[in-house]
Amino acid sequence: MKHLELLEHTDTINELLARYGVKFGIYKNNVFKEQLFPFDAIPRIIEKEEFAYLEKGLKQRVVALNLFLKDIYSKKQIVKDGVVPEDFIFASSGYMVECEGVTPVKDVYSHISGIDLVKGKNDVWYILEDNLRVPSGASYPMIARGLCRRSSPDTFEDLKIEDNRNYADLLRRTMDHVNVGGHTVILTPGRYNAAYFEHSYLAEQTGAHLVNGSELVVKDDKLYFITADGKYERVGAVYRRISDEYLDPMNFNPESLIGIPHIYDVFKKGNVALLNAPGNGVADDKGIYYFVPKMIRYYLGEEPILNNAPTYLPFYEEDMTYVLEHFDDLVLKDVAEAGGYGVVFGNTMTKKQKEDFIALLKSEPRRFIAQEVIDFQDIDILEGGERIPRKADLRAFVLMADEPLVWKSGLTRFSRNPDSFIVNSSQGGGFKDTWVLSH
Amino acid sequence: MKNLFFDYYMQIDYSIVVSKCNYTIKCIPESNERQTIDSLQMELFPETKYSYGRDGLGNRQIYGSNDLDHTTFHYHITGHAITGLHVFEEAEDDSKTMIFRHPHGLNTPGEKIKAYFHLIRQEIRPEEDAYMNSLILMNRLFCDFSYKQFVTNTETSAEEAFALGKGVCQDYAHIFISLLHLAGIPARYVVGLIMGEGASHAWVEILHNGYWYGLDPTNNVPVTSDHIKIGVGRDAKDCMINRGIMHGGGLHTQKIVVNVKEMEQ
């Protein structure tokens, strides 16, 4: 096969990625460390029909999640109708009272959603989690594809793969859809952020200005960009890569130095679009995940196309009984944690750990979910010239523009540790390109 | 019914010049079923243009910024209030009230409050309504907690204040809300003004039969015509009267002067 030639270029591509600054910054024990995000040239390949199925299911899911957010911050009909218990809304750290009664431009809450999926050994795809706040990762397969094509043009000559370098166009279309008039900017916390490469790359690719908080200012209920020569130019849309908490020190965390005072007040008046809207954390909470299939039925009157991993909520008595009886077969997740932290497998605990955990579970049942361990498919990676199987997931990107759009690619992350199911880049994993076949 | 004049003055003095500042002020009483507000006047220094808005809980606020060098910032809000028109306010739709059924922030009960509630729970009478039971809880708290200034601060939680056994109106309100939630009664924090000279005041509203009733746990009384309501929230943090950030400033000294008195007939 011709495309094997690409594999010979793995090192070159990784060197180029390093030169472009495709790095991951992480804080560990208060020390900032930049590490490379290792690229593996063996792609994940998804057949055309299979992706069409995923696309349909992903759109359905993200449309329902957006309706849920609108409902939660206004009428709360889904709570009144008893589909989602109140506790899961108001005890969630993602629920923000500041967002009550606020309507984002065109009712879009999650403009850019990163949905994590895995394919089980039974060939069934499962949703692992929804990321509706500031999901990152699209830039990595984008730039990798470009570098692969350059290093090994022959590989791509007669392969019918969807071009994934159009992500910038999709993103631009999404930003333009909600722009209320003026510039579109990408707001970054700065170069010490884990995803700074992505911020600058997406700005370059979409033609948006890359700005930090000190370059934006609120004046007379409008948001302005301060140009290099001190002029104020109106901003109509902000793709912000800063978490809700740090976005506006006058409305959220007062300690934030990277935010823009009063930007949220201006957003509330409809004078600027924020992508994504603040408050989305209430919908991508691990506890709320359990309810997403119910949301799809509730808001759309449709059966969910994509499956959740079988999940139990110890909050419900019968689920608690099940969890205690099948403890060793389950993975337990702390709903407040992210990035692969707070995840424990029942069968890896010692007797003492298990007893302590169960005591905690009983005292704070709302804090945990339990899931069946999905034995997901391995994908080969290259290590020292050998192909070895490793666990991998897929982050698919769904954009809400004038219609829901699914990017025909995605970030495939793999675990470098042979025994690990945790693929998060903050835990040292690598990434692959995702090829969606076009015929 | 009373015809009151109110006057709220806040001033911050800085040891170093402030070159730029942002502020949000939520100290604007509004008319409702209990009170009618008129002749509202606001004065701000440095004088700048401000915007009106509402927070997520519906409280009115003004906000703005200035880049004028200053070493003092103040605002002054005065107006008339006719109070005591009703003892309750009709509650909004369930979507607005369910927020107040759950522990949040500073009113979250800890082990000590839970143990205390366990101890006093037999005093709650299942045959009585939420209002009566709230009065019972309020009276019990009033007996077991004492008023003392300067032992707690604005960040003190219900649990911490309860452990101390003393505090100010904010602490009474937080602990009371905590107990009401444990008893299954929706409750919210109220910031307002009370007859006399001093500072702002805090009390609680409980939901009963579709109406919010004001109860003042610091004084162990239902809210009277001496109370002027400003805003509501889950806890004191939701109701912060003013909030600001500034460039420069050095050391701050804050002064608050509040005066509520009956108007001459």
Side-chain angles (χ1 to χ4, degrees):
Chain A
M1 247 185 58
K2 243 204 242 169
H3 94 246
L4 286 178
E5 187 209 303
L6 168 65
L7 308 185
E8 293 161 18
H9 296 278
T10 305
D11 291 343
T12 324
I13 295 164
N14 270 302
E15 276 161 29
L16 287 169
L17 287 171
R19 195 180 307 164
Y20 279 100
V22 182
K23 287 176 190 167
F24 235 90
I26 46 175
Y27 280 96
K28 219 170 193 174
N29 306 324
N30 287 324
V31 179
F32 179 77
K33 257 195 177 162
E34 252 178 356
Q35 62 184 48
L36 295 171
F37 193 19
F39 172 70
D40 183 84
I42 304 174
R44 177 200 280 280
I45 299 173
I46 304 177
E47 303 285 336
K48 187 180 177 185
E49 285 84 65
E50 188 173 21
F51 198 81
Y53 155 80
L54 291 179
E55 187 173 350
K56 223 172 138 194
L58 288 164
K59 283 182 186 171
Q60 180 194 50
R61 191 168 177 103
V62 171
V63 167
L65 285 164
N66 268 287
L67 290 170
F68 173 72
L69 282 160
K70 179 176 158 63
D71 189 18
I72 286 308
Y73 289 121
S74 56
K75 293 182 182 149
K76 302 177 183 57
Q77 205 57 46
I78 198 166
V79 180
K80 290 181 197 162
D81 289 339
V83 180
V84 178
E86 278 179 38
D87 302 68
F88 281 84
I89 306 298
F90 302 112
S92 162
S93 57
Y95 167 78
M96 291 167 70
V97 79
E98 295 86 348
C99 305
E100 284 289 340
V102 178
T103 315
V105 180
K106 297 189 177 160
D107 282 342
V108 184
Y109 280 81
S110 188
H111 309 75
I112 297 119
S113 310
I115 311 293
D116 295 345
L117 308 103
V118 292
K119 192 176 184 180
K121 288 214 163 116
N122 55 0
D123 277 341
V124 174
W125 284 93
Y126 294 97
I127 305 274
L128 279 193
E129 66 183 39
D130 305 293
N131 296 280
L132 312 180
R133 284 170 269 187
V134 194
S136 63
S139 61
Y140 305 112
M142 265 171 100
I143 188 168
R145 180 77 58 89
L147 296 175
C148 289
R149 294 182 77 108
R150 229 189 292 161
S151 315
S152 179
D154 291 352
T155 303
F156 296 87
E157 202 169 68
D158 51 3
L159 272 175
K160 297 276 186 278
I161 315 170
E162 294 283 354
D163 193 347
N164 75 352
R165 291 168 302 171
N166 67 341
Y167 183 77
D169 300 333
L170 304 183
L171 180 57
R172 186 75 216 194
R173 189 167 148 196
T174 306
M175 298 190 293
D176 287 348
H177 177 62
V178 289
N179 187 310
V180 297
H183 290 292
T184 295
V185 301
I186 296 182
L187 172 63
T188 176
R191 71 165 233 83
Y192 291 108
N193 184 269
Y196 183 70
F197 158 75
E198 174 154 306
H199 309 161
S200 57
Y201 186 71
L202 292 177
E204 179 191 307
Q205 297 292 314
T206 57
H209 294 283
L210 181 68
V211 300
N212 59 48
S214 64
E215 292 169 279
L216 297 178
V217 66
V218 167
K219 206 174 160 58
D220 300 330
D221 272 336
K222 292 188 181 69
L223 183 70
Y224 293 91
F225 167 62
I226 309 168
T227 63
D229 52 354
K231 288 202 191 77
Y232 282 27
E233 292 183 7
R234 177 89 191 269
V235 174
V238 181
Y239 177 23
R240 47 92 178 199
R241 299 294 303 250
I242 295 185
S243 64
D244 290 356
E245 206 190 343
Y246 293 103
L247 187 60
D248 177 354
M250 291 304 293
N251 279 285
F252 309 115
N253 185 348
E255 309 280 307
S256 173
L257 298 173
I258 53 174
I260 299 111
H262 300 303
I263 192 174
Y264 190 63
D265 295 304
V266 173
F267 167 76
K268 275 168 42 174
K269 292 197 169 161
N271 291 346
V272 72
L274 293 174
L275 301 89
N276 292 346
N280 288 2
V282 70
D284 69 3
D285 180 294
K286 288 188 173 70
I288 285 296
Y289 164 89
Y290 173 90
F291 297 98
V292 179
K294 293 177 195 283
M295 277 174 210
I296 293 170
R297 291 188 197 101
Y298 182 80
Y299 292 116
L300 306 175
E302 297 169 6
E303 273 308 299
I305 297 166
L306 287 167
N307 302 288
N308 263 11
T311 304
Y312 307 93
L313 286 188
F315 172 81
Y316 293 122
E317 211 171 304
E318 55 177 275
D319 283 21
M320 176 71 98
T321 311
Y322 182 91
V323 171
L324 297 178
E325 279 169 9
H326 300 83
F327 197 77
D328 286 353
D329 307 327
L330 300 170
V331 51
L332 293 117
K333 298 182 177 174
D334 187 328
V335 299
E337 299 275 358
Y341 299 96
V343 176
V344 285
F345 290 83
N347 62 5
T348 63
M349 289 189 211
T350 64
K351 191 161 174 283
K352 174 82 173 71
Q353 283 173 327
K354 208 178 284 182
E355 281 167 9
D356 292 349
F357 192 89
I358 288 172
L360 183 64
L361 185 65
K362 284 182 174 162
S363 69
E364 293 181 68
R366 158 71 182 83
R367 195 173 138 189
F368 299 94
I369 61 166
Q371 287 176 327
E372 304 284 355
V373 179
I374 293 180
D375 194 5
F376 50 100
Q377 291 185 5
D378 295 311
I379 300 187
D380 282 349
I381 67 164
L382 275 182
E383 211 169 88
E386 301 270 318
R387 277 173 169 261
I388 47 170
R390 284 292 181 270
K391 297 293 171 213
D393 78 346
L394 170 67
R395 173 167 289 183
F397 289 87
V398 185
L399 280 69
M400 289 294 267
D402 44 319
E403 57 174 331
L405 306 166
V406 177
W407 182 37
K408 290 196 169 65
S409 183
L411 174 69
T412 293
R413 297 177 299 180
F414 60 88
S415 161
R416 290 214 287 176
N417 174 348
D419 303 319
S420 177
F421 282 78
I422 297 172
V423 298
N424 300 64
S425 32
S426 47
Q427 308 274 347
F431 80 102
K432 288 169 171 291
D433 192 1
T434 307
W435 291 1
V436 174
L437 300 183
S438 58
H439 76 138
Chain B
M1 213 166 81
K2 272 183 186 155
N3 199 351
L4 306 177
F5 168 79
F6 62 88
D7 178 336
Y8 188 99
Y9 180 82
M10 197 285 292
Q11 177 173 326
I12 307 176
D13 290 304
Y14 304 104
S15 63
I16 300 174
V17 172
V18 171
S19 57
K20 209 162 132 182
C21 87
N22 294 82
Y23 57 84
T24 297
I25 299 166
K26 290 204 257 192
C27 187
I28 314 163
E30 287 193 274
S31 295
N32 55 42
E33 289 156 273
R34 278 194 56 253
Q35 65 191 27
T36 301
I37 306 292
D38 63 39
S39 317
L40 195 68
Q41 288 197 344
M42 270 182 284
E43 181 221 330
L44 207 65
F45 178 85
E47 200 181 336
T48 43
K49 199 176 139 190
Y50 51 77
S51 305
Y52 279 94
R54 286 190 187 274
D55 68 12
L57 293 161
N59 301 307
R60 204 158 197 225
Q61 59 190 26
I62 58 167
Y63 59 89
S65 61
N66 72 62
D67 46 12
L68 306 164
D69 283 354
H70 57 278
T71 52
T72 179
F73 175 91
H74 77 238
Y75 64 86
H76 194 182
I77 299 178
T78 57
H80 296 163
I82 301 169
T83 54
L85 301 174
H86 271 295
V87 293
F88 51 68
E89 279 173 61
E90 192 171 346
E92 315 77 347
D93 170 64
D94 216 22
S95 65
K96 297 249 165 59
T97 60
M98 61 170 79
I99 300 165
F100 303 110
R101 288 204 276 254
H102 302 269
H104 171 83
L106 297 176
N107 71 42
T108 309
E111 292 313 315
K112 291 207 166 68
I113 290 185
K114 283 183 191 161
Y116 176 69
F117 180 71
H118 193 73
L119 192 77
I120 61 170
R121 73 185 308 166
Q122 69 265 21
E123 293 177 27
I124 296 170
R125 295 182 217 141
E127 73 279 7
E128 290 289 1
D129 59 35
Y131 184 79
M132 281 308 295
N133 280 322
S134 300
L135 290 179
I136 292 170
L137 284 173
M138 178 164 74
N139 187 54
R140 185 63 208 246
L141 175 64
F142 187 75
C143 297
D144 294 336
F145 194 76
S146 47
Y147 189 89
K148 193 167 164 81
Q149 277 185 311
F150 314 117
V151 292
T152 56
N153 60 49
T154 53
E155 306 270 316
T156 306
S157 69
E159 182 73 4
E160 288 159 354
F162 184 77
L164 278 175
K166 49 202 162 213
V168 294
C169 57
Q170 168 173 325
D171 307 304
Y172 275 93
H174 282 150
I175 301 168
F176 189 31
I177 293 170
S178 207
L179 295 171
L180 289 161
H181 284 161
L182 289 169
I185 302 168
R188 62 186 185 184
Y189 187 96
V190 182
V191 64
L193 308 174
I194 193 166
M195 186 81 109
E197 285 179 28
S200 59
H201 191 48
W203 60 90
V204 172
E205 282 180 347
I206 64 120
L207 186 66
H208 167 55
N209 274 345
Y211 292 91
W212 288 110
Y213 289 82
L215 297 175
D216 181 349
T218 312
N219 298 306
N220 196 22
V221 290
V223 162
T224 66
S225 51
D226 289 349
H227 293 74
I228 302 172
K229 177 171 160 181
I230 294 175
V232 296
R234 294 164 299 178
D235 64 4
K237 281 216 167 124
D238 281 347
C239 300
M240 268 169 23
I241 283 183
N242 51 261
R243 179 163 176 165
I245 48 175
M246 63 286 304
H247 291 239
L251 295 172
H252 307 182
T253 353
Q254 183 178 272
K255 184 170 82 175
I256 298 172
V257 184
V258 183
N259 190 8
V260 179
K261 58 184 183 198
E262 239 176 308
M263 306 258 293
E264 319 245 321
Q265 292 302 313

